[in-house]
């Protein structure tokens, strides 16, 4: 009996997670040290407590047959929606977003835990809708995405809400949703963001502003452009649907409809986000435009990474963090501290450890014959990969600063417990990957 219990654990995966969490605690402690060598916060102690709780949760999740969660997934999803509504109404503000609930110092971020509930319910839907019309199936999946994502955007927490998108796209891809639908949503999202930030980039970031971009800032010109591409969309639809026009008409309609929606929603997004908020997102393109303001974080982070060189300055010997040049250094910029003190080699170790996790999950996805389990692992892979690449890209100055933590390393109980729960689910699926039911 004991041997069966022990067989459920992937010890390579556990070791990788423990090494990452240990590195996280080490550098959260380092981030607490001031220029006089004194620890000024107890965040590292809290992280050890969260890690201990997370380890227990990871073991329990591994032992509980994940297939039983399929019938519970809808209730977990409903609970998530209610929790997000409660958070929007009665939550407390942290870093400008009303995204936390709790008493005193104890608080949780429901949108973090919600990723697991969202993955479980979307996996259930994709599993049970396999025989549905592909377009209707995809539309239903979009509905499942938009409800929690919209509530998180209202907090407003753009960073956390954005994580739900790659989870959704990876799961839909693995579930066999036609690529043309997935690319439609992906293209629409990218183009909407691009058109929303373009005017601010032109006014605040660009070295040589372009007059043609005034089309997006002049309401009349934007309205004319929307009407023009909308007419192209409608005309193309009629020709293709009723007159059986050539195939290229379909693609013209496809592209025109994306542009129409992007023009409309980018305008709404531009109204939802203030110019200074958009500037913070795109300042990475030219941080020297505002070196003491929005560009400060990126400049100091790049200085810290560059100062680390190949071998680093040594543990607890970094200056950027200890002299408090790095903002939010125990959360968003934990990788900067690690790179300054352990150098390129330390950063490479973190990359290797994460890629072991990615490869492990990909192997499980490939070998699992239970569709529900496959979709769960796909969602978790999308979550881990997005967190990793966005956070590391952010601290290197090649991605927007979105407040997305580096899971396992960044300080934060909600993020750590979510990540360790996800690893428990992956090990659970791995142990039962050959079972259909």
């Amino acid at each position: 009996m004991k041997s069966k219990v022990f067989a459920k654990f992937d010890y390579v995966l556990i070791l990788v997670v423990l090494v990452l969490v240990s590195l996280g605690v080490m550098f959260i402690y380092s981030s607490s040290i001031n220029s006089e060598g004194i620890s000024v916060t107890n965040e590292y102690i809290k992280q050890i407590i969260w890690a201990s709780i997370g380890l227990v949760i990871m073991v329990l999740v591994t032992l509980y047959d994940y297939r039983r969660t399929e019938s519970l997934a809808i209730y977990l999803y409903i609970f998530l929606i209610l929790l997000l509504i409660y958070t929007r109404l009665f939550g407390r503000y942290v870093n400008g977003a009303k995204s936390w609930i709790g008493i005193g110092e104890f608080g949780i971020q429901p949108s973090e835990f919600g990723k697991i509930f969202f993955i479980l319910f979307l996996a259930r839907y994709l599993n049970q809708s396999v025989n549905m019309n592909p377009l209707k199936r995809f539309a239903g999946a979009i509905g499942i995405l938009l409800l929690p994502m919209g509530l998180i955007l209202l907090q407003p927490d753009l960073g956390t809400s954005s994580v739900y998108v790659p989870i959704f796209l990876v799961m839909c891809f693995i579930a066999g949703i036609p690529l043309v639908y997935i690319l439609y949503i992906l293209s629409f999202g990218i183009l909407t963001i691009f058109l929303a930030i373009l005017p601010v980039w032109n006014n605040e970031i660009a070295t040589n502003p372009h007059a043609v971009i005034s089309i997006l800032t002049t309401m009349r010109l934007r309205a004319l452009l929307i009407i023009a591409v909308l007419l192209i969309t409608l005309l193309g639809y009629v020709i293709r649907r009723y007159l059986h026009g050539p195939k290229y008409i379909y693609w013209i309609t496809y592209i025109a409809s994306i542009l129409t929606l992007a023009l409309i929603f980018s305008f709404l997004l531009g109204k939802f986000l203030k110019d200074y908020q958009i500037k913070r997102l795109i300042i990475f393109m030219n941080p020297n435009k505002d070196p003491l303001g929005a560009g400060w974080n990126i400049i100091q982070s790049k200085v810290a990474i560059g100062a680390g060189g190949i071998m680093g300055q040594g543990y607890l010997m970094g200056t950027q963090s200890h002299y408090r040049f790095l903002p939010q250094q125990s959360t968003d910029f934990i990788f900067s501290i690690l790179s300054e003190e352990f150098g390129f080699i330390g950063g490479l170790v973190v990359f290797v450890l994460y890629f072991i996790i990615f490869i492990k999950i990909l192997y499980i996805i490939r070998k699992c014959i239970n569709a529900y389990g496959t979709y769960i692992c796909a969602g978790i892979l999308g979550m881990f990969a997005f967190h990793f690449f966005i956070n590391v890209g952010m601290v290197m100055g090649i991605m927007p600063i979105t407040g997305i933590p580096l899971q396992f390393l960044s300080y934060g109980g909600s993020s750590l417990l979510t990540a360790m729960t996800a690893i428990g689910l992956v090990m659970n699926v791995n142990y039962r990957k050959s079972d259909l039911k």
Side-chain angles (χ1 to χ4, degrees):
M1 183 67 181
K2 285 185 178 180
S3 62
K4 283 188 176 182
V5 171
F6 289 132
K8 295 181 180 180
F9 300 103
D10 185 325
Y11 292 100
V12 172
L13 206 50
I14 291 174
L15 179 61
V16 168
V17 169
L18 290 178
V19 172
L20 285 171
V21 172
S22 298
L23 285 171
V25 172
M26 286 173 60
F27 287 99
I28 290 168
Y29 173 73
S30 180
S31 74
S32 73
I33 302 296
N34 63 16
S35 58
E36 298 175 355
I38 300 170
S39 178
V40 294
T41 73
N42 64 349
E43 287 180 343
Y44 67 97
I45 296 175
K46 291 180 181 178
Q47 191 76 351
I48 292 171
I49 295 171
W50 286 121
S52 302
I53 295 171
L55 191 59
V56 173
I57 292 174
M58 186 173 72
V59 169
L60 293 176
V61 170
T62 303
L63 295 176
Y64 184 80
D65 191 340
Y66 76 92
R67 293 167 296 186
R68 296 180 183 177
T69 64
E70 188 168 5
S71 60
L72 301 173
I74 186 169
Y75 303 109
L76 294 174
Y77 181 78
I78 292 170
F79 176 68
L80 166 63
I81 300 305
L82 294 175
L83 202 56
L84 290 174
I85 293 172
Y86 177 86
T87 304
R88 181 65 187 88
L89 295 174
F90 305 108
R92 61 192 189 199
Y93 283 98
V94 176
N95 295 327
K98 202 174 187 181
S99 56
W100 290 77
I101 57 174
I103 301 171
E105 289 189 5
F106 178 79
I108 62 168
Q109 191 175 4
S111 54
E112 278 290 337
F113 292 109
K115 296 169 191 172
I116 300 295
F117 298 163
F118 170 70
I119 288 170
L120 292 176
F121 184 60
L122 183 57
R124 177 190 185 222
Y125 170 80
L126 292 172
N127 187 37
Q128 296 183 356
S129 62
V130 68
N131 295 320
M132 189 184 294
N133 174 278
L135 182 56
K136 290 182 179 178
R137 188 184 185 209
F138 188 56
I142 290 174
I144 293 171
L145 167 70
L146 291 181
L147 192 52
M149 188 178 171
L151 289 170
I152 296 168
L153 278 172
L154 289 174
Q155 293 177 354
D157 188 348
L158 183 62
T160 304
S161 67
S162 66
V163 182
Y164 283 68
V165 177
I167 292 173
F168 168 81
L169 293 175
V170 174
M171 291 179 72
C172 286
F173 176 75
I174 295 297
I177 297 290
L179 193 58
V180 68
Y181 299 153
I182 296 173
L183 289 177
Y184 189 93
I185 293 298
L186 186 61
S187 302
F188 159 69
I190 292 173
L191 190 57
T192 297
I193 295 170
F194 176 75
L195 293 176
I197 68 174
L198 197 57
V200 179
W201 171 83
N202 194 51
N203 295 330
E204 304 284 349
I205 308 296
T207 306
N208 299 307
H210 301 279
V212 71
I213 297 176
S214 63
I215 294 174
L216 298 175
T217 55
T218 306
M219 190 63 191
R220 194 173 195 178
L221 292 175
R222 181 189 279 261
L224 288 172
L225 185 59
I226 291 173
I227 292 170
V229 290
L230 179 59
L231 287 174
I232 293 171
T233 302
L234 294 175
L235 183 62
Y237 176 79
V238 170
I239 293 173
R240 180 66 181 167
R241 175 76 183 245
Y242 299 104
L243 303 179
H244 308 291
K247 184 70 174 179
Y248 69 84
I249 296 294
Y250 168 83
W251 292 110
I252 291 174
T253 308
Y254 181 90
I255 294 169
S257 64
I258 292 173
L259 183 56
T260 303
L261 292 173
L263 283 167
I264 295 170
F265 280 90
S266 62
F267 172 76
L268 298 175
L269 184 61
K271 293 294 183 182
F272 178 74
L273 293 174
K274 306 299 182 186
D275 282 2
Y276 74 89
Q277 292 175 312
I278 296 176
K279 185 180 178 181
R280 282 207 302 255
L281 288 174
I282 62 175
I283 193 66
F284 74 96
M285 298 177 184
N286 189 1
N288 291 316
K289 273 285 187 177
D290 189 9
L292 299 179
W296 174 266
N297 297 3
I298 295 172
I299 293 171
Q300 298 306 320
S301 177
K302 290 166 75 173
V303 168
I305 293 172
I310 299 296
M311 301 301 293
Q313 297 188 13
Y315 184 54
L316 302 181
M317 300 299 290
T319 56
Q320 288 298 105
S321 61
H322 298 164
Y323 282 91
R324 292 308 192 252
F325 289 115
L326 276 171
Q328 298 172 330
Q329 51 194 25
S330 64
T331 52
D332 297 350
F333 291 89
I334 194 74
F335 189 78
S336 304
I337 301 175
L338 183 147
S339 296
E340 183 182 23
E341 298 186 1
F342 277 9
F344 173 79
I345 300 300
L348 184 62
V349 168
V350 172
F351 269 72
V352 170
L353 292 172
Y354 262 96
F355 273 89
I356 290 173
I357 293 175
F358 299 156
I359 291 168
K360 279 277 186 182
I361 298 175
L362 283 170
Y363 172 80
I364 296 166
I365 290 172
R366 185 180 176 187
K367 294 295 182 181
C368 186
I369 61 174
N370 182 298
Y372 179 61
T374 300
Y375 302 151
I376 290 173
C377 288
I380 291 170
L381 177 63
M383 178 181 73
F384 281 150
F386 188 76
H387 269 270
F388 176 73
F389 288 112
I390 292 297
N391 181 274
V392 172
M394 176 182 76
V395 301
M396 289 181 177
I398 57 174
M399 289 285 186
I401 295 180
T402 53
I404 293 175
L406 183 56
Q407 289 178 314
F408 302 114
L409 277 84
S410 293
Y411 169 72
S414 298
S415 174
L416 184 58
L417 293 182
T418 299
M420 296 186 83
T421 300
I423 291 295
L425 277 170
V426 167
M427 289 194 293
N428 196 328
V429 174
N430 184 39
Y431 180 71
R432 301 174 175 87
K433 61 179 177 288
S434 300
D435 299 337
L436 277 170
K437 293 184 179 181

